[in-house]
C-alpha cells in the first residue's frame, strides 16, 4: 500500500515536472521569438528584421515565417499580464509598447522582410502564469 502510493506520488511529481518544464520551455521560445529589450530604435527597420530573424534563428531551414513581431518591452511587463491568469487565457496589455512587425517579402535567395514600427497593445497567451504565445498586437483594445 505504502509502496503503491509512493509510486503514484513519483508519477505525479514526474508529470508535474514535465508539464512545468514544458511551460518554461515555451516561455523561453516566446522570449527568443518575440522579445527584444533593451533596444535602440534602428535606422532601418527592414534591416533590423533581416538581422533579427537570423540572429534569433527564427526560421527553420528551408522555411520562412510569413510574419513575426518583436515587442520592445521588458519580459517582466509581459509576465505581469499572465499573473493569476488561467491557462489559455489571452490578456491584452493596457499599455502600448513599441513593436516591430516583420513581414516576409521574398523567400529567395534568403528570407527577406520588411519591418515596420508601431506602438501597440500586446495580446499574449498564458500557460502556467507565463506568456508562451504572442497572439497579436493591435492599436485598438478588443472587448
Ligand atoms: C533599408 O534596408 C533594406 C534592406 O537592406 C533596403 O532594401 C532599403 O533600401 C533600406 N531603406 C532605406 C530607407 O535605406
Ligand atoms: C546575434 O547578435 C549578437 C549581438 O550583436 C551577437 O553577439 C551574436 O553573435 C549574434 N548571433 C547570431 C547567431 O547571429
Ligand atoms: C496550467 O498549466 C500548468 C503547466 O502545465 C499547470 O501546472 C497548471 O496546473 C495549469 N493550471 C490550470 C489552472 O489548469
Ligand atoms: C493581427 O490580427 C489582424 C486581424 O485578425 C491581422 O490582420 C494581422 O495580420 C494580425 N497581426 C499579426 C502581427 O499577426
Amino acid at each position: 500500500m505504502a509502496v503503491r502510493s509512493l509510486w503514484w506520488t513519483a508519477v505525479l511529481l514526474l508529470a508535474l515536472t514535465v508539464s512545468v518544464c514544458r511551460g518554461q520551455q515555451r516561455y523561453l521560445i516566446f522570449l527568443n521569438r518575440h522579445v527584444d529589450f533593451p533596444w535602440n530604435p534602428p535606422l532601418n527597420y527592414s534591416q533590423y528584421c533581416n538581422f533579427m530573424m537570423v540572429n534569433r534563428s527564427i526560421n527553420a531551414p528551408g522555411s520562412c515565417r510569413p510574419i513575426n513581431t518583436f515587442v520592445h518591452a521588458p519580459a517582466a511587463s509581459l509576465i505581469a499580464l499572465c499573473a493569476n491568469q488561467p491557462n489559455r487565457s489571452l490578456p491584452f496589455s493596457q499599455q502600448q509598447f513599441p513593436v516591430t512587425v516583420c513581414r516576409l517579402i521574398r523567400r529567395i535567395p534568403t528570407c527577406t522582410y520588411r519591418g515596420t514600427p508601431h506602438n501597440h497593445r500586446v495580446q499574449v497567451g498564458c500557460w502556467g502564469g507565463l506568456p508562451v504565445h504572442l497572439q497579436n498586437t493591435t492599436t485598438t483594445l478588443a472587448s
Side-chain angles (χ1 to χ4, degrees):
M1 195 64 186
V3 171
R4 230 178 120 95
S5 69
L6 206 66
W7 162 251
W8 279 114
T9 307
V11 168
L12 212 68
L13 270 177
L14 186 71
L16 207 67
T17 310
V18 167
S19 63
V20 167
C21 286
R22 267 236 199 88
Q24 269 172 7
Q25 178 110 31
R26 289 177 67 198
Y27 166 67
L28 292 176
I29 292 170
F30 166 87
L31 276 187
N32 179 67
R33 193 175 281 170
H34 297 299
V35 180
D36 185 21
F37 189 88
W39 165 85
N40 294 311
L43 292 174
N44 184 321
Y45 283 86
S46 298
Q47 267 174 17
Y48 169 81
C49 283
N50 291 326
F51 173 81
M52 286 296 284
M53 296 302 284
V54 172
N55 189 270
R56 299 286 181 94
S57 304
I58 289 168
N59 288 320
S63 78
C64 302
R65 268 174 86 82
I67 185 164
N68 192 68
T69 299
F70 293 101
V71 179
H72 309 297
S77 304
L78 301 173
I79 290 178
L81 300 178
C82 289
N84 305 315
Q85 292 291 318
N87 293 339
R88 299 177 207 283
S89 60
L90 295 166
F92 278 93
S93 65
Q94 284 301 313
Q95 215 187 322
Q96 299 191 345
F97 296 110
V99 305
T100 303
V101 178
C102 303
R103 284 176 202 278
L104 185 70
I105 52 170
R106 262 201 315 279
R107 291 173 187 274
I108 291 168
T110 54
C111 307
T112 303
Y113 291 84
R114 179 184 303 119
T116 50
H118 302 276
N119 277 301
H120 273 180
R121 290 197 158 92
V122 171
Q123 186 183 26
V124 296
C126 301
W127 195 266
L130 290 171
V132 294
H133 165 70
L134 184 68
Q135 175 73 4
N136 208 332
T137 69
T138 175
T139 45
T140 52
L141 191 56
S143 55

